[in-house]
Amino acid sequence: MKTTLGRRTRMLAATTATAGLVLVAGCSSDDDGGSGTKTAAGGVEVVKAGRLTTCTHLPYPPFQSEIDGKVQGFDVSLIDLVADDLGVQQAIVDQPFENFKTGGSLNAGQCDLAAAGMTITEERKKNVDFSDPYFEATQAVLVDKKSGISSFADLKGKKVGAQAQTTGEDYAKSKGLDPVSFESSDAVINGLRTGQVEAVVIDYPVVQGWLKDKANADAFEVAEQINTGEQYGFTVKKGNTKLREAINKAIKDAKADGTYKKLYEKWIGPYDQSAASASPAAS
């Protein structure tokens, strides 16, 4: 996933599938969001009464992005299920990704969890606890149809773009490329559209979302899809076992009752069984 350092943190309303919507007005750890208990169903402690506060970094469609003034997406819908189980409402906090990749936002009590299409890595596990994987991800090489680029191997000597501090950028660098870093997924596609770069390496589901737009589909194509073995997970503060278990239960239940499939088809596209077959994460 991604990070943009120095951006102004802002709070947005979340469109919820099951839990209603909440507009968050502040992010200090001592603001309890009003009177009431900070203990949700199942004994899960939350940082703001009546809310399950989610940190994310926008935009990252189809997982989370602002549409018609509301934050929506696959991640948002899945966490709505968790909030519903806990009897609270989800609230979205938009922050630089670095804040919660390192666990800083979680440790500071600014949010209960982070949901940001985040790849599970051993390095990140040092700072946060991950839920079970909820999505199998791959990388994609997106190019202009007139570029003549047909594979990752063709990128040698080309000007390649990637989103800063993402696994796509890491992969490109590991293969000897020196990608141009963009602060957001929107900036990446704009860089390709305006000719700043000749190709981009980024998570395939994001590319799928872009190509739903006819103008993008007419101009761009996937030169190669690369299986890097990545899995996405949600994160909680280290030691927050009750919330982690609540998230895992919601994911498991959604896969069992067909809700996961419906949300996948709504936000990502034709259902891919392998995307939902991720094995539970190691503790």
Side-chain angles (χ1 to χ4, degrees), residues 223-235:
E224 184 176 353
Q225 188 175 340
I226 308 162
N227 186 355
T228 53
E230 295 178 48
Q231 297 179 322
Y232 288 171
F234 301 119
T235 63

Side-chain angles (χ1 to χ4, degrees), residues 74-96:
F74 187 62
D75 281 0
V76 179
S77 295
L78 286 178
I79 297 303
D80 278 343
L81 302 178
V82 181
D84 188 56
D85 286 348
L86 298 179
V88 295
Q89 296 177 311
Q90 182 182 184
I92 303 289
V93 180
D94 183 22
Q95 291 192 342

Side-chain angles (χ1 to χ4, degrees), residues 119-159:
T119 300
I120 299 169
T121 69
E122 291 305 314
E123 184 64 26
R124 292 171 182 176
K125 284 182 179 179
K126 296 176 183 177
N127 301 313
V128 295
D129 284 345
F130 277 94
S131 68
D132 288 342
Y134 67 91
F135 189 84
E136 294 278 357
T138 59
Q139 295 293 324
V141 178
L142 186 70
V143 299
D144 188 291
K145 287 185 175 180
K146 301 176 182 177
S147 69
I149 297 170
S150 60
S151 69
F152 185 89
D154 292 340
L155 298 183
K156 187 175 181 181
K158 304 292 186 181
K159 200 166 187 180

Side-chain angles (χ1 to χ4, degrees), residues 157-198:
K158 304 292 186 181
K159 200 166 187 180
V160 179
Q163 191 168 350
Q165 298 196 36
T166 64
T167 49
E169 183 183 56
D170 291 344
Y171 182 81
K173 288 180 177 179
S174 75
K175 298 301 180 180
L177 301 178
D178 184 20
V180 176
S181 294
F182 293 91
E183 70 169 21
S184 69
S185 61
D186 278 0
V188 171
I189 188 67
N190 286 334
L192 182 60
R193 184 180 291 114
T194 58
Q196 296 176 58
V197 293
E198 298 169 85

Side-chain angles (χ1 to χ4, degrees), residues 2-165:
K2 59 241 169 234
T3 180
T4 305
L5 300 180
R7 282 184 56 189
R8 179 175 64 89
T9 299
R10 59 195 179 105
M11 323 300 284
L12 300 106
T15 296
T16 62
T18 55
L21 68 84
V22 174
L23 178 63
V24 183
C27 62
S28 64
S29 59
D30 59 0
D31 176 10
D32 69 1
S35 59
T37 179
K38 289 187 179 181
T39 303
V44 174
E45 297 294 325
V46 292
V47 298
K48 294 180 184 291
R51 301 172 182 168
L52 183 64
T53 307
T54 302
C55 275
T56 194
H57 177 61
L58 301 171
Y60 205 65
F63 296 93
Q64 57 275 322
S65 58
E66 191 174 356
I67 304 171
D68 298 328
K70 299 174 182 178
V71 181
Q72 306 180 57
F74 187 62
D75 281 0
V76 179
S77 295
L78 286 178
I79 297 303
D80 278 343
L81 302 178
V82 181
D84 188 56
D85 286 348
L86 298 179
V88 295
Q89 296 177 311
Q90 182 182 184
I92 303 289
V93 180
D94 183 22
Q95 291 192 342
F97 184 69
E98 188 72 16
N99 289 12
F100 42 93
K101 184 178 75 172
T102 61
S105 296
L106 297 168
N107 293 333
Q110 294 175 357
C111 48
D112 298 298
L113 73 147
M118 193 187 310
T119 300
I120 299 169
T121 69
E122 291 305 314
E123 184 64 26
R124 292 171 182 176
K125 284 182 179 179
K126 296 176 183 177
N127 301 313
V128 295
D129 284 345
F130 277 94
S131 68
D132 288 342
Y134 67 91
F135 189 84
E136 294 278 357
T138 59
Q139 295 293 324
V141 178
L142 186 70
V143 299
D144 188 291
K145 287 185 175 180
K146 301 176 182 177
S147 69
I149 297 170
S150 60
S151 69
F152 185 89
D154 292 340
L155 298 183
K156 187 175 181 181
K158 304 292 186 181
K159 200 166 187 180
V160 179
Q163 191 168 350
Q165 298 196 36

